[in-house]
Amino acid sequence: MNYFVKLIIQVVLSYVGTVGFGLIINIPKRALNLAGWSGALGWLTYWVLFEAGSGRMFANLVAGISVGIGGIIFSHIKRMPVILFNIPGLVPLVPGATAYQAVSSLVLGNFNQAIALTVKVSMVAGSIATGFMIAQIIGEWYYKTQLKL
Amino acid sequence: MSEDKNVDANEVVDTCLLAGRLMIEGGSEMYRVEDTVRRIAYNSGQRNSASFTTLTGVMMSIKGQPVTQFGAVNHRGIDMEKVDRVNTLSRRYGNKELTLNELKDELEKLDKNLPTYPMWMQLLGAFLVSATMMIVFTQKYDWFDIPLAGVTGTIGYLVAFYVTRTTSIRFISDFLGSFILGALAMLGVHFGLGHNLNSILIGAVMPLVPGVAITNALRDMLAGHLLSGLERALEAGMSACAISVGIAVLFRYF
């Protein structure tokens, strides 16, 4: 399959999936579309970097930063709390499926795989959270310099 | 301002605790909860308030006044509408569009009936999440498996939703939801409706797995809210265990 066809498929799927998750966690109707884009943005960043061979942690970190900054911008457009765009934006990135695989290999007796997957879950979640923190720092710094001007 | 000082401090703490509890129930970050609580107190003329928030309870006191109250948080989830509404109400209170009594009334109304999406839309959401995330996570373009993953994911979500209503123990609903979803996925693959059982299961558990909760736990910890971060991590871990055990039991014996 062509790289660009794959890219478009990934963006469409992550947008649709994020909007679907938004329906489950009761996102207000007027935030639903931008929340979907926030998910697509994060996943696009991750996918492009990962395909380019950057490695999982770095790709997750940068995706976390882009979801965080996107959330700050969207929340200013809609005048709604940042968390409304951050949480759905995370959905394609978060290691929920990996957490499930980790515990199920533990139950089935594959202890080495279980430990490896558990470490992977905490490292992925940690790099996304660090990415958010960096986005928050960038946002604060931006507003401080804006106010001085 | 002078009339603000006459507002009963007990009433202020009551309203703040209600707002804080609603935000924690909606899955807000702890710094936002503390910020909102402090803002409501400040706008009521109480300049010196202190609050202590955890995932299971909120405590608040006002300096120099004999008022300290505690509010318990009994059920937690992710509900963004709640966070948004409380945030809007607190902002309107800050702009003096509401009095303290009106704010409290509105918050109580919000506590009793919160607007949610109709059931069929939530089920549609669960279908979309399961169907799309299967491909996003596994990175295999298995279009044939999409319908089975979507349908089993929807049924798992439905079961978990109704079990949550009948019991107060959250992990039972996760366990039963994933157990039934796993059994249906296995039957589906057995009858030739899907190819790859592992990727179907990964997609189908997506509406249930606590991925967002794990990441939120780490965010709280990084922000310095160690206690609520640990509580969130523990809750997410236990719910991941419940889901995986529900499916692994099937794998072990069938």
Side-chain angles (χ1 to χ4, degrees), chain B residues 126-127 130-131 134 145-159 177-178 180-189 193 197 199-208:
Chain B
F127 181 88
S130 308
M134 182 190 80
D145 286 348
I146 281 191
L148 186 62
V151 169
T152 48
T154 313
I155 293 172
Y157 177 74
L158 187 70
V159 170
S178 70
I180 287 171
L181 151 178
L184 286 173
M186 277 182 160
L187 281 177
V189 172
L193 297 170
L197 183 60
S199 27
I200 290 173
L201 284 176
I202 285 178
V205 294
M206 270 315 287
L208 299 176

Side-chain angles (χ1 to χ4, degrees), chain A residues 1-20 33-49 51 88-89 92, chain B residues 128 132-133 135-137 139 141 143:
Chain A
M1 221 183 287
N2 191 316
Y3 183 80
F4 286 100
V5 177
K6 276 190 191 170
L7 191 86
I8 288 168
I9 290 175
Q10 296 293 335
V11 170
V12 169
L13 288 180
S14 51
Y15 175 82
V16 173
T18 311
V19 170
N33 179 32
L34 280 181
W37 281 117
S38 159
L41 176 74
W43 182 250
L44 181 68
T45 315
Y46 171 82
W47 192 79
V48 167
L49 283 173
E51 289 286 299
Chain B
L128 292 176
T132 57
M133 290 304 152
I135 289 180
V136 165
F137 269 114
Q139 289 293 312
Y141 298 89
W143 305 110

Side-chain angles (χ1 to χ4, degrees), chain B residues 79-151:
Chain B
D79 192 327
M80 292 293 114
E81 182 88 40
K82 239 179 210 174
V83 178
D84 182 45
R85 296 260 170 150
V86 176
N87 198 58
T88 315
L89 286 174
S90 143
R91 197 179 286 168
R92 279 174 64 198
Y93 181 59
N95 293 341
K96 306 266 178 248
E97 288 168 33
L98 293 171
T99 64
L100 189 67
N101 276 330
E102 281 168 356
L103 176 69
K104 201 179 171 197
D105 283 350
E106 290 285 323
L107 286 172
E108 271 165 0
K109 242 187 263 168
L110 194 62
D111 193 21
K112 282 197 188 88
N113 46 7
L114 184 83
T116 52
Y117 286 106
M119 196 62 208
W120 68 269
M121 276 184 95
Q122 290 186 35
L123 291 181
L124 178 72
F127 181 88
L128 292 176
V129 173
S130 308
T132 57
M133 290 304 152
M134 182 190 80
I135 289 180
V136 165
F137 269 114
T138 56
Q139 289 293 312
K140 288 178 202 144
Y141 298 89
D142 253 343
W143 305 110
F144 182 74
D145 286 348
I146 281 191
L148 186 62
V151 169

Side-chain angles (χ1 to χ4, degrees), chain A residues 6 10 13 17 20-21 23-29 43 47 80-81 83 87 94 97 100-101 103 107 125-126 132, chain B residues 27 29 79-81 84 87 115-117 121 125 129 132 135-137 139 141 157 202 212 215-216 218-219 244 248:
Chain A
K6 276 190 191 170
Q10 296 293 335
L13 288 180
F21 197 78
L23 291 173
I24 295 180
I25 61 170
N26 206 8
I27 296 227
K29 227 171 252 161
W43 182 250
W47 192 79
M80 289 167 122
I83 188 175
I87 292 218
V94 287
Y100 149 71
Q101 284 171 316
V103 185
V107 176
F132 268 162
Chain B
E29 314 103 301
D79 192 327
M80 292 293 114
E81 182 88 40
D84 182 45
N87 198 58
T116 52
Y117 286 106
M121 276 184 95
V129 173
T132 57
I135 289 180
V136 165
F137 269 114
Q139 289 293 312
Y141 298 89
Y157 177 74
I202 285 178
V212 172
T215 313
N216 268 349
L218 278 159
R219 279 176 75 190
S244 316

